[in-house]
Amino acid sequence: MLNRSFLSLLLLALLAWPLMACGDDASEPGADAGDDLELRAPQTPVPPPDAGSVTADDDAGAAAIGAPCDEVLAEDNSGFESTVLDAINSARQAGAGCDGTTATASPPLALDTRLQRSARCHAQQMRDRMALDFSGEDGSTLFDRPRREGFDGTILGGAIGKGSDPAALASALLSGGPSCQNLLSPDAMFGAVGASDADPEGDLYIEVIVASGP
């Protein structure tokens, strides 16, 4: 029998490229009330400006991307984060595919602390709002926030979710759909998992970010 955290899991995924929808119901994810997993339809972002056009001394550029996150977490959930990232990297190296398929093995994602700071900040904000949402409190996106932390690579996509069991959460992320395709992308080189403090029910909110180099 599935544990409570998995039954309550809600995952949303975002791709940096369009996906072809399969089936007439693909535009209405989660329509079946019995589903344990719900995915948001992919969106195509506006390409971010050239990172080289913004410097620390450029007040206008700094204002455009916003300041680094100042969220302070009360708990150390680095072990939770590592369990999720390790599971993703194991699947990549094993050549696991999405939806029960196989794929060419990909290198593990190298942990980037700038992506991690961005992911932790957004995870905590989701926890504070008690809502899974890629949009930040200030309207920022998955593609904006890492630049605030100094990341100058290309954000390929990510996934968000919540739960109390990191292994079950990772398994759900990798079970299929857009979240799985993001995390197993052969183009991804860097990644990070950010986890929030636990909510009153003991669940942690997480954001996963995958990226390539500059």
Side-chain angles (χ1 to χ4, degrees):
M1 182 175 180
L2 295 176
N3 62 31
R4 178 189 58 78
S5 67
F6 187 75
L7 285 172
S8 66
L9 180 63
L10 173 67
L11 296 175
L12 296 89
L14 180 67
L15 288 176
W17 56 85
L19 291 179
M20 294 299 293
C22 298
D24 294 337
D25 296 328
S27 62
E28 298 181 0
D32 183 350
D35 286 348
D36 295 323
L37 185 67
E38 183 176 330
L39 297 174
R40 170 177 290 179
Q43 301 175 16
T44 303
V46 176
D50 179 9
S53 67
V54 178
T55 69
D57 297 325
D58 185 345
D59 291 339
I65 64 172
C69 178
D70 59 0
E71 288 279 349
V72 177
L73 277 68
E75 305 167 3
D76 178 4
N77 289 313
S78 56
F80 192 104
E81 296 166 342
S82 295
T83 298
V84 176
L85 186 61
D86 288 348
I88 293 169
N89 281 335
S90 293
R92 290 174 61 86
Q93 292 177 286
C98 301
D99 301 302
T101 64
T102 58
T104 303
S106 299
L109 300 171
L111 174 63
D112 187 285
T113 56
R114 297 163 297 182
L115 296 179
Q116 187 177 57
R117 287 195 301 270
S118 178
R120 283 176 174 173
C121 179
H122 187 61
Q124 185 66 11
Q125 290 183 358
M126 289 192 294
R127 186 264 184 212
D128 292 344
R129 289 182 286 168
M130 302 292 283
L132 286 166
D133 192 343
F134 274 108
S135 295
E137 293 177 344
D138 57 357
S140 62
T141 71
L142 173 71
F143 303 89
D144 301 329
R145 293 185 291 270
R147 294 186 64 233
R148 298 176 178 179
E149 306 298 334
F151 185 77
D152 59 357
T154 300
I155 303 301
L156 298 178
I160 55 179
K162 70 173 183 176
S164 60
D165 182 336
L169 194 51
S171 178
L173 286 167
L174 295 167
S175 64
S179 61
C180 177
Q181 294 174 42
N182 276 335
L183 305 182
L184 299 184
S185 169
D187 297 323
M189 301 167 55
F190 306 103
V193 178
S196 71
D197 294 333
D199 69 10
E201 295 183 350
D203 290 331
L204 278 65
Y205 286 71
I206 70 164
E207 179 175 61
V208 188
I209 307 173
V210 296
S212 61

